[in-house]
């Protein structure tokens, strides 16, 4: 299979000491391209370092909602994000940005400020954005819709069919990962089965990712996730579309290249 992992975190501490070995292995197993996603100022710099080291890796730079409070203590944090984006042609998106209400809502105001400022930056730069939306669907959409010029992917999509329809019809993307292989992933499976009913172009708005080292697909649950495990996600998604896993991988490869503005 020819695959594009549109959302990975190879700078994560869980890969400590093993990232280089694993990256070489996955690239030899059909993973043609990877976008490593920044979650903080520090991890954005690490993502750029990986992109500089490997021809097949690209980077997204930005501040995750979980890091909003700490990183915004730097008065020039947004200028740092912009500088990192300009520092390399392999910086292809602003992200991972958004809202996360899972661990409480004490910092909602700060999260929203951080999200809006980075969307405004993306609008000014003409850059796509990678959005983290966890238990914050309504607020995420409300803020995103204030920036109609920005194209977004909602990674590890966990919303409803109705939300997916709204996102896709507005020109945005959704991304699926190993969660699709879980026995309780009925909502995501239902969205893929009904995706063609949204619009004739709906399949063109779908990406595949790992979110590695997390969300490892069956049959490798409990192990460290890695990009070549996307083969199991592709096979499951393909079965829902009535196509082969290889065809699904090729479809999402082309979609990811378009989203990130990367030559195929």
């Amino acid at each position: 299979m020819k695959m594009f992992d549109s959302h990975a975190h190879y700078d994560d501490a869980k890969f400590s000491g093993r990232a280089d070995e694993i990256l070489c292995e996955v690239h030899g197993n059909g993973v043609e391209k990877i976008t490593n996603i920044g979650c903080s100022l520090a991890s954005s710099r690490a993502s750029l370092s990986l992109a500089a080291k490997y021809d097949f890796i690209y980077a997204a730079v930005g501040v995750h909602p979980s890091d909003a409070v700490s990183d915004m203590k730097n008065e020039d944090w947004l200028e740092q994000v912009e500088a990192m984006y300009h520092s390399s042609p392999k910086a292809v998106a602003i992200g991972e940005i958004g809202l996360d209400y899972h661990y409480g809502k004490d910092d909602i105001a700060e999260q929203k400020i951080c999200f809006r400022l980075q969307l405004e930056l993306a609008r000014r730069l003409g850059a796509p954005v990678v959005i983290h939306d966890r238990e914050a669907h309504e607020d995420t959409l409300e803020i995103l819709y204030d920036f109609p010029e920005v194209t977004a992917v909602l990674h590890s999509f966990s919303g409803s069919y109705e939300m997916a329809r709204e996102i896709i019809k507005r020109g945005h993307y959704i991304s699926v990962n190993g969660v699709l292989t879980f026995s309780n992933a009925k909502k995501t499976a239902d969205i893929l089965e009904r995706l063609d009913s949204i619009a004739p172009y709906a399949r063109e708005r779908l990406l595949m990712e790992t979110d590695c080292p997390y969300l490892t697909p069956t049959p490798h649950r409990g192990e460290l996730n890695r990009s070549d495990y996307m083969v199991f996600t592709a096979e499951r998604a393909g079965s829902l579309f009535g196509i082969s896993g290889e065809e699904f991988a090729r479809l999402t490869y082309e979609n990811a290249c378009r989203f990130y503005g990367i030559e195929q």
Side-chain angles (χ1 to χ4, degrees), residues 126-198:
V129 299
V130 180
I131 291 182
H132 174 101
D133 164 29
R134 191 175 188 188
E135 299 176 19
H137 301 329
E138 184 176 349
D139 286 353
T140 296
L141 294 184
E142 180 181 344
I143 293 173
L144 177 61
Y145 293 166
D146 285 341
F147 299 86
E149 305 91 343
V150 177
T151 301
V153 58
L154 275 75
H155 104 90
S156 191
F157 186 74
S158 60
S160 64
Y161 168 81
E162 291 74 21
M163 182 179 178
R165 181 177 59 195
E166 182 75 5
I167 286 291
I168 289 170
K169 286 193 170 183
R170 287 180 178 259
H172 301 297
Y173 293 67
I174 62 174
S175 183
V176 296
N177 52 34
V179 171
L180 187 63
T181 68
F182 299 174
S183 60
N184 61 350
K186 294 180 173 58
K187 184 167 63 173
T188 307
D190 176 66
I191 290 171
L192 292 193
E193 287 183 318
R194 301 168 63 192
L195 195 70
D196 291 337
S197 67
I198 292 175

Side-chain angles (χ1 to χ4, degrees), residues 14-260:
K14 290 182 181 293
F15 283 119
S16 180
R18 298 188 58 197
D20 290 325
E21 173 190 357
I22 291 173
L23 282 167
C24 290
E25 289 176 357
V26 302
H27 189 49
N29 289 337
V31 180
E32 295 283 336
K33 291 179 172 60
I34 297 169
T35 303
N36 204 78
I37 310 294
C39 291
S40 64
L41 296 175
S43 70
S44 293
R45 286 189 285 270
S47 293
L48 287 169
S49 294
L50 283 170
K53 186 174 183 178
Y54 294 98
D55 290 343
F56 61 95
I57 295 183
Y58 298 82
V61 296
V63 175
H64 187 284
S66 297
D67 291 276
V69 172
S70 58
D71 274 359
M72 286 172 67
K73 290 178 181 177
N74 297 283
E75 291 185 2
D76 66 340
W77 72 274
L78 193 61
E79 287 81 2
Q80 289 189 50
V81 174
E82 181 173 3
M84 284 189 281
Y85 182 80
H86 285 305
S87 71
S88 169
K90 297 186 77 181
V92 293
I94 300 298
E96 164 178 7
I97 66 176
L99 302 172
D100 191 322
Y101 295 170
H102 181 70
Y103 291 109
K105 301 182 179 181
D106 294 339
D107 60 354
I108 282 181
E110 291 85 355
Q111 287 190 39
K112 287 182 176 180
I113 290 169
C114 190
F115 188 22
R116 283 186 177 277
L117 287 172
Q118 291 180 99
L119 283 169
E120 176 57 41
L121 175 63
R123 175 163 61 185
R124 181 159 51 82
L125 296 172
V129 299
V130 180
I131 291 182
H132 174 101
D133 164 29
R134 191 175 188 188
E135 299 176 19
H137 301 329
E138 184 176 349
D139 286 353
T140 296
L141 294 184
E142 180 181 344
I143 293 173
L144 177 61
Y145 293 166
D146 285 341
F147 299 86
E149 305 91 343
V150 177
T151 301
V153 58
L154 275 75
H155 104 90
S156 191
F157 186 74
S158 60
S160 64
Y161 168 81
E162 291 74 21
M163 182 179 178
R165 181 177 59 195
E166 182 75 5
I167 286 291
I168 289 170
K169 286 193 170 183
R170 287 180 178 259
H172 301 297
Y173 293 67
I174 62 174
S175 183
V176 296
N177 52 34
V179 171
L180 187 63
T181 68
F182 299 174
S183 60
N184 61 350
K186 294 180 173 58
K187 184 167 63 173
T188 307
D190 176 66
I191 290 171
L192 292 193
E193 287 183 318
R194 301 168 63 192
L195 195 70
D196 291 337
S197 67
I198 292 175
Y201 55 82
R203 292 191 186 193
E204 298 174 8
R205 301 295 177 176
L206 188 64
L207 304 186
M208 182 165 61
E209 61 168 86
T210 56
D211 201 20
C212 67
Y214 309 99
L215 304 179
T216 309
T218 304
H220 290 282
R221 290 190 72 177
E223 301 176 21
L224 201 68
N225 199 6
R226 44 189 279 167
S227 298
D228 49 355
Y229 288 172
M230 285 190 300
V231 64
F232 302 104
T233 304
E235 289 173 350
R236 172 60 175 147
S239 71
L240 296 168
F241 277 174
I243 62 176
S244 69
E246 185 174 358
E247 289 174 302
F248 183 84
R250 183 169 61 249
L251 169 70
T252 51
Y253 177 92
E254 293 171 355
N255 293 347
C257 288
R258 185 189 323 112
F259 175 75
Y260 286 121

